[in-house]
Amino acid sequence: MVEDTCCTCARLLSNILPEYNEKTEKPVATDRRLKCCDRIICGDCPFCQISSDPTPLPQGLQDPPAYSPPPSPRPAHATLAPLLNAEELPAYSSLDFPKDASHKTEQNKNTADDVLHFVNPAHDTVSSLALRYTVPSHALRKKNNLYADHLLAARKAILIPGEYYKGGVSLSPQPIDGEEEEIRKSKIRRWMVACKVSDYDIALLYLNQANYDVDSAVEAYLSDEKWEREHPMESSSKDAHDPYKCNALLSRGHWLDPPIEPYSTRPFQKWQPPGCMLHEYTGKDIQSCMSGQRIVYIGDSATRQLFWASAKKLNMTVADEEMREAGKHEDLTFEEGDVMVDFIWDPFLNSSSLRGELLSYLNDGLQGNADTVGKAGLVIVGGGLWFARNFGSDWLDQFKDSIDYLVPLLGLRRGAAATLYSPPGIRRQGKGHHVYVTPVQIPLYDVLSPLRAASMTPAKINPMNEYLYNASKMKGVKVVWSHSLMTWESEYAYEESGLHVIENVSSRRVDVLLNMRCNAELSLSQGYPFDKTCCSAYERERALGMRSLLLLIFTAPVIIGLWIHNWRQIRAVLCHELSQAFGIFALALLYCFVADRTQLFNKGQKHFAHQEFLTMSAIVFALGVFSIRRSLVASSPCRFLSVKDRFADQPFLSRDQTDEWKGWMQFVILIYHYTGASSILWIYQLIRVLVASYLFMTGFGHTVFFLRKQDYSFKRSASILVRLNVLSCLLPYVMGTDYLFYYFAPLVSFWYMVVYITMRISHSRNVSLSFLLGKIVISAAIVTISIRCSTVFEKTFLLFKYTCGITWNVKEWRFRLQLDGYIVYVGMLAAILNIKVSEMLNAQRFPPQDRVGFVRRHWTKIHVFSVLLALTVLPSFWIFSRSFTDKFVYNTWVPYVSLFPIVSFTILRNSNHYFRNYYSSVFAWLGRCSLETFTLQFHIWLAADTKGLLSLGVFGRESTHTDGRHQDLIILTVVFLYLSWLTADATVLITKWVVDPKGAKGSLIAESVAKSEGKDRSDEFNMDRSKVGRHLISLFRKAANHLYRLWMEKLEVRLLSILLSMWILNMLCIMA
């Protein structure tokens, strides 16, 4: 028999001792059955105090129930029993069955209406609600379509089924946040759905402007979207309030390499803030920026992870050892060099140490102390998880009190909001002092332990972050929201505990803080490459570039005056091709400066993707195939030749072939740099062979020229060197780099001088094959010893440093020379062999037993054998190169093995008539301006001195890696190639003018000078001037005429003048 129990305390009523009234001495009833809900209680009812029936009691209170329990309802079988025992069946009218209508009425009368209960996520669960309302759990789930108990946390309100709950009164009749707050949130959700925008901040912005009129806010947003689509260039000015990308670094960003599976190779390496590049800091960078200062972390275990990430950047080995021995809930200190990293354990953000650090920072900033040794240069405060775990219902109030207490101590003084958008290096006040607050760590709720999951819920974490957001907007608190974005929808960013993040993510979080603190300072002190583009300024480089431009502007009239001797001829000179060439060259330099030394263009990080690399390569290959045509004889115009002569057989490695070879290699190198494929070994190996191919053609082409033309004049060598170096020599003055940074022009110039000197010495004896081969062997030995000797280049570069103010990287230069130390000599040998074989094949008379006769008789066999050998060598070299697992080991083999694929390709390219006489015009076009494309790509196609990618910043709203990237690629590529082509033509004209100013391109200037010299200029000075003034003018004119004649007649004077101008600019740069 089931005994009755109390529904509030679950005690058996039979076990409750009777209690007696002191006045009446009668027993007090311990068993009460309530009429309203049919509950049994042992005392006062805690559930329903309000009566639903009319009662004379005040405030609608109901009468207490009777002491005796109501009679149990009579079962139906008891009514039917007498009738079933009768001998005759009764009439149907004798059975008192209720009618259908009356039955339904009675059922509806006994069933109460459903009750609306507003869920309190901090306390309500399915089990607690079932107990409080005496409703079975399964009925509660069925009524609200709850398939699992944890889904209750997502509900704002649920229905209590009236079939079981007869009280009719809700125990939570009002929304937890209030009705006005619910209405406000509902309008925010409606606006987000209507506009398809998930950004909460944008929703608040538009609704606040429209006074929470949803229709007006939606209309305003759609009109803004329409205007941005119609005015893409004007809409790009939305970053005008954040020109240095400080706020973008602090608040936004996305991963370029999120993992697609739990064990992806090195995920979470590249965090991309919108419009700038995140620099990955090393221990050396931190030492340079924070020398003598401290980095202070204050907070809970999530902040402690940042502390250890900073320590590992300084010294990975020592940090790992100390991390294993350190305690959890204690203060920590890590010191490396003169940089100290401190961690203060303060999960509730209320310790005296926290107050002391912030007060010290505040006092130093207000007093303007210049001495920063031993003081905090970067303070990071973070907490919140312990408020959720250890406080009850007032966790949010406690958190708000802690933040409000910290706000006056965070150094928000003298326009703190303005400092958020400017780099620290250009501000005088507050330099070296930064305090940032990290948002509350959002855990991975699904994998938390049961104890943590019970207290760390979205209902607790989200309100704390919302309060931090309001504090950042209203009070200027610098909250690093990008830390939260790094784990947004990224389950692989967490450790197994679900509370802390993996090492890569914590390292990138530290990089965000260090980029905010150190980028501006290190950019000014370290120089190029300028890859620290977030929260940084190009102040020094801008001043240097503008100083050079002003120098050119002020000296241009003087130069023009020296040219023409008559200011009235300026207009004619400006319309001349040479003046246009100078203008194009100046435009190219200015575009490089604006693109890569200002914040006008966005900069993004590279991220390799196989599909992108292969797609770009396939497009280039298709362009090359569709532009194949037959080579023409270049020595004469086509109209003067017959069809047979016009399409005559091309020689070995003709000009069209070499231009095509340079062109397609340049395309591949450009794609290699753009996609950041240097980390892919097989692509890196291919690029190394392509660079060696350039140098092979350098040795081959110049050797053929010297042997056939016998022109070793100073004029030709000067023409070659000026053509190679004019762009690479001027760019460093504008961009703040150095000459060796554009390594291809110096490399080709060096090897040209090697070829020239080798062929120039005793050039009259070059007809002797043995003598020529001996010179090449001796030259190779001398150059190899010079490269490998540790004193030759060091002393040479040291001399340049103290005499010319030039600082070059000796180690990098030696590395470039060693990589291709022998391929130039292979090109020279190939040129000699080509000339000798051509002479043998074209010889009219030769002895049958001579080597010439042997070659002519067996030439077909030699040709077939060389082709078969080349076909064998190419796949063999591919297999050989794939055996390497490290690029550094491969680099040691490159000087000795790169000749095999290059010579094999050369043989196959000239193996038959069709291969020799057809070429790709697109590749050949790019090959003719490959020097300019290779140099200009550093600044107007790539960014941050080749470390990143250039972007217009006008396509796409979210500034993701793929959003608008293809549009940027198309536009910037067209501009880049067109400007490179124009610059190549301008360089040719400028080179001819420097080498031979009296040539065809300078005829207009010479004519203008001649006319001006034949005129009587006395009428130009008819004004009343003193005799001294006229005498000085006459002396100046004579000196100018003399200098002009020297300039026009002496190549040595022109070159020395150019070198002297460069030396003066070097001295000015040192003084700057």
Side-chain angles (χ1 to χ4, degrees):
M1 178 179 179
V2 179
E3 297 182 358
D4 292 335
T5 59
C6 178
C7 67
T8 59
C9 62
R11 292 186 297 176
L12 294 174
L13 299 182
S14 59
N15 295 337
I16 299 175
L17 298 177
E19 298 181 2
Y20 296 90
N21 192 316
E22 296 179 356
K23 295 182 179 180
T24 62
E25 297 183 355
K26 294 182 178 180
V28 178
T30 58
D31 176 11
R32 297 180 58 193
R33 186 179 298 274
L34 305 179
K35 295 180 179 180
C36 57
C37 57
D38 203 29
R39 289 189 178 92
I40 299 175
I41 62 175
C42 63
D44 296 332
C45 179
F47 296 99
C48 38
Q49 298 294 330
I50 307 300
S51 175
S52 58
D53 300 328
T55 175
L57 295 177
Q59 300 180 359
L61 295 178
Q62 62 182 4
D63 292 324
Y67 291 110
S68 59
S72 301
R74 189 177 182 184
H77 62 83
T79 306
L80 294 177
L83 298 177
L84 294 175
N85 295 330
E87 294 180 359
E88 297 182 1
L89 294 176
Y92 287 107
S93 57
S94 63
L95 294 176
D96 191 14
F97 286 111
K99 302 294 182 182
D100 292 341
S102 61
H103 176 73
K104 292 180 180 179
T105 303
E106 186 68 21
Q107 184 179 1
N108 293 336
K109 183 176 180 181
N110 294 332
T111 302
D113 295 333
D114 295 337
V115 174
L116 184 66
H117 177 93
F118 288 94
V119 177
N120 186 348
H123 304 290
D124 290 344
T125 62
V126 173
S127 301
S128 66
L129 292 177
L131 181 62
R132 294 175 65 186
Y133 285 100
T134 318
V135 176
S137 299
H138 66 86
L140 198 61
R141 298 190 192 98
K142 181 178 180 181
K143 186 68 176 179
N144 295 276
N145 295 325
L146 294 174
Y147 303 103
D149 290 355
H150 68 270
L151 297 178
L152 182 67
R155 300 294 181 89
K156 294 293 183 182
I158 63 171
L159 292 175
I160 307 300
E163 179 181 0
Y164 297 93
Y165 178 60
K166 310 298 183 180
V169 178
S170 175
L171 302 183
S172 179
Q174 299 293 333
I176 302 302
D177 296 330
E179 293 184 3
E180 295 182 357
E181 181 66 17
E182 288 296 323
I183 295 174
R184 188 183 73 90
K185 291 182 178 179
S186 137
K187 291 181 178 180
I188 293 175
R189 288 192 294 269
R190 287 171 52 197
W191 185 92
M192 288 181 173
V193 172
C195 298
K196 296 183 175 66
V197 175
S198 60
D199 196 323
Y200 188 79
D201 299 339
I202 297 178
L204 289 179
L205 176 64
Y206 279 92
L207 287 172
N208 285 330
Q209 292 177 350
N211 293 325
Y212 279 85
D213 186 346
V214 179
D215 295 334
S216 300
V218 171
E219 183 179 357
Y221 176 80
L222 295 179
S223 62
D224 288 347
E225 284 282 297
K226 181 180 179 181
W227 184 88
E228 288 191 4
R229 288 192 299 268
E230 295 175 352
H231 305 81
M233 296 302 295
E234 291 86 344
S235 64
S236 64
S237 61
K238 61 187 177 182
D239 290 334
H241 69 284
D242 187 25
Y244 301 107
K245 306 298 186 296
C246 294
N247 189 41
L249 173 64
L250 201 65
S251 305
R252 297 155 62 191
H254 65 280
W255 289 110
L256 297 181
D257 53 349
I260 57 177
E261 56 186 10
Y263 304 103
S264 296
T265 304
R266 291 179 58 82
F268 300 113
Q269 291 289 328
K270 295 184 179 180
W271 176 256
Q272 177 61 65
C276 63
M277 298 168 54
L278 183 73
H279 177 70
E280 183 176 351
Y281 270 77
T282 62
K284 183 178 178 181
D285 294 333
I286 299 175
Q287 294 281 355
S288 299
C289 174
M290 305 295 298
S291 178
Q293 295 181 304
R294 297 185 301 128
I295 304 176
V296 181
Y297 293 94
I298 308 173
D300 54 13
S301 58
T303 312
R304 184 179 60 223
Q305 237 188 340
L306 301 179
F307 163 80
W308 286 119
S310 300
K312 290 180 180 180
K313 285 181 175 292
L314 289 170
N315 193 320
M316 173 71 75
T317 305
V318 178
D320 286 335
E321 294 177 358
E322 294 189 6
M323 186 176 177
R324 287 191 293 267
E325 299 174 357
K328 291 185 176 180
H329 302 163
E330 61 182 21
D331 296 347
L332 302 170
T333 299
F334 184 87
E335 188 172 359
E336 179 69 20
D338 57 352
V339 176
M340 181 180 294
V341 185
D342 293 332
F343 171 70
I344 299 175
W345 172 254
D346 184 13
F348 299 114
L349 306 179
N350 58 0
S351 67
S352 58
S353 300
L354 170 61
R355 177 179 175 84
E357 289 289 348
L358 296 181
L359 281 177
S360 175
Y361 152 70
L362 184 62
N363 294 332
D364 291 340
L366 291 176
Q367 298 173 6
N369 292 338
D371 184 16
T372 59
V373 177
K375 297 181 180 179
L378 179 63
V379 180
I380 299 94
V381 180
L385 295 177
W386 280 58
F387 288 91
R389 287 193 62 182
N390 296 279
F391 288 102
S393 59
D394 60 341
W395 50 270
L396 184 58
D397 294 334
Q398 296 288 343
F399 179 78
K400 290 180 179 180
D401 292 341
S402 296
I403 298 300
D404 292 340
Y405 171 75
L406 293 179
V407 167
L409 304 176
L410 292 179
L412 307 176
R413 58 184 186 277
R414 299 184 184 181
T419 63
L420 187 61
Y421 308 108
S422 57
I426 64 174
R427 299 194 308 269
R428 294 183 178 179
Q429 294 182 358
K431 179 179 178 180
H433 297 82
H434 297 270
V435 178
Y436 299 98
V437 177
T438 61
V440 182
Q441 173 72 44
I442 300 177
L444 190 61
Y445 298 106
D446 295 339
V447 300
L448 289 176
S449 63
L451 182 61
R452 289 174 173 172
S455 57
M456 298 180 183
T457 62
K460 289 186 176 181
I461 304 297
N462 294 341
M464 288 189 286
N465 281 328
E466 289 181 4
Y467 188 76
L468 283 178
Y469 174 81
N470 294 331
S472 66
K473 294 297 182 182
M474 303 302 179
K475 302 176 182 179
V477 178
K478 298 179 183 179
V479 183
V480 193
W481 294 112
S482 56
H483 283 194
S484 293
L485 294 177
M486 289 183 182
T487 58
W488 180 257
E489 297 182 351
S490 300
E491 58 178 318
Y492 302 133
Y494 292 89
E495 295 179 348
E496 295 181 357
S497 63
L499 183 62
H500 301 116
V501 297
I502 62 177
E503 184 174 335
N504 287 351
V505 176
S506 61
S507 180
R508 295 296 85 77
R509 286 179 169 181
V510 172
D511 283 332
V512 169
L513 298 169
L514 292 174
N515 275 254
M516 287 289 298
R517 167 62 181 85
C518 299
N519 274 4
E521 184 175 342
L522 293 185
S523 294
L524 297 179
S525 61
Q526 292 183 349
Y528 84 95
F530 295 96
D531 57 342
K532 307 172 187 66
T533 61
C534 292
C535 203
S536 180
Y538 302 101
E539 289 297 310
R540 181 179 179 183
E541 286 63 43
R542 181 182 293 115
L544 179 60
M546 294 308 296
R547 188 180 296 112
S548 301
L549 292 176
L550 288 175
L551 180 63
L552 292 175
I553 292 173
F554 283 112
T555 56
V558 178
I559 296 174
I560 295 175
L562 293 176
W563 286 347
I564 62 177
H565 287 221
N566 191 344
W567 297 102
R568 297 177 182 178
Q569 299 293 329
I570 292 179
R571 181 176 180 181
V573 173
L574 292 178
C575 297
H576 193 252
E577 290 184 2
L578 181 61
S579 299
Q580 293 177 2
F582 275 101
I584 292 173
F585 212 87
L587 178 63
L589 296 177
L590 180 62
Y591 182 46
C592 290
F593 178 79
V594 172
D596 207 19
R597 289 298 182 268
T598 68
Q599 299 288 354
L600 184 63
F601 286 77
N602 286 349
K603 283 85 177 177
Q605 296 184 85
K606 298 178 183 179
H607 177 58
F608 178 77
H610 282 88
Q611 183 178 2
E612 183 181 42
F613 180 86
L614 296 177
T615 301
M616 296 177 69
S617 301
I619 293 174
V620 169
F621 176 78
L623 290 175
V625 170
F626 287 118
S627 64
I628 292 178
R629 61 187 62 184
R630 183 156 186 171
S631 297
L632 302 176
V633 176
S635 59
S636 301
C638 293
R639 61 178 180 272
F640 298 125
L641 297 175
S642 64
V643 175
K644 181 179 179 180
D645 294 334
R646 191 187 311 168
F647 297 107
D649 192 15
Q650 295 292 312
F652 183 84
L653 278 184
S654 64
R655 180 62 181 270
D656 288 337
Q657 273 193 47
T658 55
D659 287 342
E660 178 203 72
W661 195 357
K662 293 176 183 177
W664 71 259
M665 288 193 302
Q666 186 62 42
F667 268 123
V668 175
I669 291 175
L670 290 175
I671 296 173
Y672 166 81
H673 285 158
Y674 188 86
T675 57
S678 60
S679 59
I680 309 303
L681 182 58
W682 71 269
I683 301 179
Y684 175 82
Q685 293 170 340
L686 173 63
I687 298 301
R688 289 264 50 90
V689 174
L690 298 186
V691 174
S693 300
Y694 273 102
L695 300 179
F696 170 84
M697 285 185 280
T698 297
F700 179 88
H702 291 301
T703 303
V704 169
F705 178 86
F706 288 134
L707 290 177
R708 288 181 175 174
K709 301 294 183 180
Q710 295 296 319
D711 183 3
Y712 299 95
S713 63
F714 176 72
K715 181 178 179 180
R716 183 186 182 273
S717 297
S719 177
I720 294 293
L721 294 176
V722 171
R723 170 70 179 88
L724 288 173
N725 295 284
V726 59
L727 182 60
S728 301
C729 286
L730 289 180
L731 271 175
Y733 297 110
V734 179
M735 305 303 296
T737 56
D738 61 53
Y739 171 65
L740 291 185
F741 177 66
Y742 312 97
Y743 65 89
F744 186 70
L747 201 60
V748 176
S749 300
F750 174 84
W751 287 114
Y752 168 76
M753 292 302 302
V754 170
V755 174
Y756 173 78
I757 295 173
T758 303
M759 301 299 295
R760 177 68 176 81
I761 297 175
S762 300
H763 59 88
S764 60
R765 300 177 58 188
N766 285 344
V767 293
S768 173
L769 181 61
S770 58
F771 177 77
L772 193 58
L773 294 178
K775 285 200 303 182
I776 292 176
V777 172
I778 294 174
S779 174
I782 294 174
V783 172
T784 302
I785 294 173
S786 301
I787 292 174
R788 299 183 182 276
C789 181
S790 60
T791 59
V792 175
F793 286 110
E794 279 77 0
K795 292 183 178 180
T796 304
F797 285 14
L798 191 63
L799 179 64
F800 287 161
K801 178 180 180 181
Y802 289 110
T803 59
C804 303
I806 298 174
T807 303
W808 289 341
N809 190 335
V810 181
K811 183 178 179 181
E812 180 69 17
W813 177 241
R814 179 176 284 109
F815 168 76
R816 296 291 178 186
L817 293 178
Q818 286 180 345
L819 276 178
D820 307 298
Y822 304 107
I823 194 63
V824 174
Y825 296 105
V826 175
M828 296 176 68
L829 295 175
I832 297 171
L833 180 62
N834 173 50
I835 293 177
K836 296 300 181 181
V837 170
S838 298
E839 292 176 352
M840 293 177 184
L841 296 179
N842 295 326
Q844 300 297 328
R845 297 180 180 179
F846 53 89
Q849 302 302 324
D850 193 10
R851 60 182 178 182
V852 177
F854 176 82
V855 171
R856 290 177 65 92
R857 288 194 308 271
H858 298 88
W859 175 245
T860 302
K861 296 180 180 179
I862 295 173
H863 177 73
V864 173
F865 175 77
S866 62
V867 171
L868 294 176
L869 183 62
L871 290 173
T872 305
V873 167
L874 285 178
S876 301
F877 178 80
W878 173 257
I879 296 173
F880 171 75
S881 62
R882 296 300 292 165
S883 63
F884 292 95
T885 58
D886 183 74
K887 65 170 62 175
F888 301 104
V889 178
Y890 175 77
N891 287 339
T892 61
W893 284 81
V894 168
Y896 311 104
V897 300
S898 61
L899 64 97
F900 296 107
I902 294 173
V903 174
S904 299
F905 174 80
T906 305
I907 294 173
L908 295 177
R909 186 67 177 82
N910 295 269
S911 58
N912 60 51
H913 175 80
Y914 295 101
F915 286 176
R916 280 195 306 273
N917 293 283
Y918 286 88
Y919 76 104
S920 171
S921 59
V922 172
F923 292 158
W925 170 81
L926 184 65
R928 287 188 285 272
C929 58
S930 59
L931 178 63
E932 285 69 28
T933 55
F934 191 92
T935 304
L936 291 177
Q937 67 163 329
F938 284 56
H939 304 297
I940 66 174
W941 200 53
L942 306 175
D945 301 326
T946 74
K947 299 296 183 180
L949 301 177
L950 204 64
S951 173
L952 297 174
V954 298
F955 300 105
R957 293 184 54 83
E958 300 299 329
S959 300
T960 61
H961 183 67
T962 57
D963 192 14
R965 189 165 185 244
H966 297 158
Q967 295 91 323
D968 287 335
L969 175 61
I970 293 172
I971 295 175
L972 292 173
T973 301
V974 171
V975 174
F976 161 63
L977 294 178
Y978 181 66
L979 187 59
S980 299
W981 174 49
L982 293 179
T983 305
D985 291 342
T987 304
V988 172
L989 290 176
I990 294 174
T991 301
K992 291 181 178 180
W993 174 76
V994 172
V995 176
D996 185 13
K998 293 183 178 181
K1001 297 301 181 181
S1003 59
L1004 179 59
I1005 299 176
E1007 293 174 3
S1008 301
V1009 173
K1011 292 179 181 179
S1012 63
E1013 288 179 348
K1015 291 182 179 180
D1016 183 8
R1017 301 190 196 88
S1018 59
D1019 55 344
E1020 297 179 11
F1021 306 99
N1022 288 333
M1023 294 181 295
D1024 187 13
R1025 296 177 178 175
S1026 63
K1027 294 182 179 181
V1028 177
R1030 287 196 299 270
H1031 181 66
L1032 291 176
I1033 292 174
S1034 177
L1035 291 177
F1036 175 77
R1037 184 178 291 115
K1038 291 180 180 179
N1041 290 335
H1042 181 68
L1043 291 176
Y1044 176 76
R1045 282 193 295 270
L1046 287 176
W1047 174 273
M1048 296 294 290
E1049 296 174 359
K1050 298 291 185 179
L1051 176 59
E1052 295 82 356
V1053 173
R1054 292 192 293 273
L1055 295 179
L1056 288 176
S1057 301
I1058 294 174
L1059 293 176
L1060 179 61
S1061 301
M1062 294 172 60
W1063 181 83
I1064 294 174
L1065 287 175
N1066 289 341
M1067 296 300 105
L1068 291 176
C1069 293
I1070 294 176
M1071 294 171 60

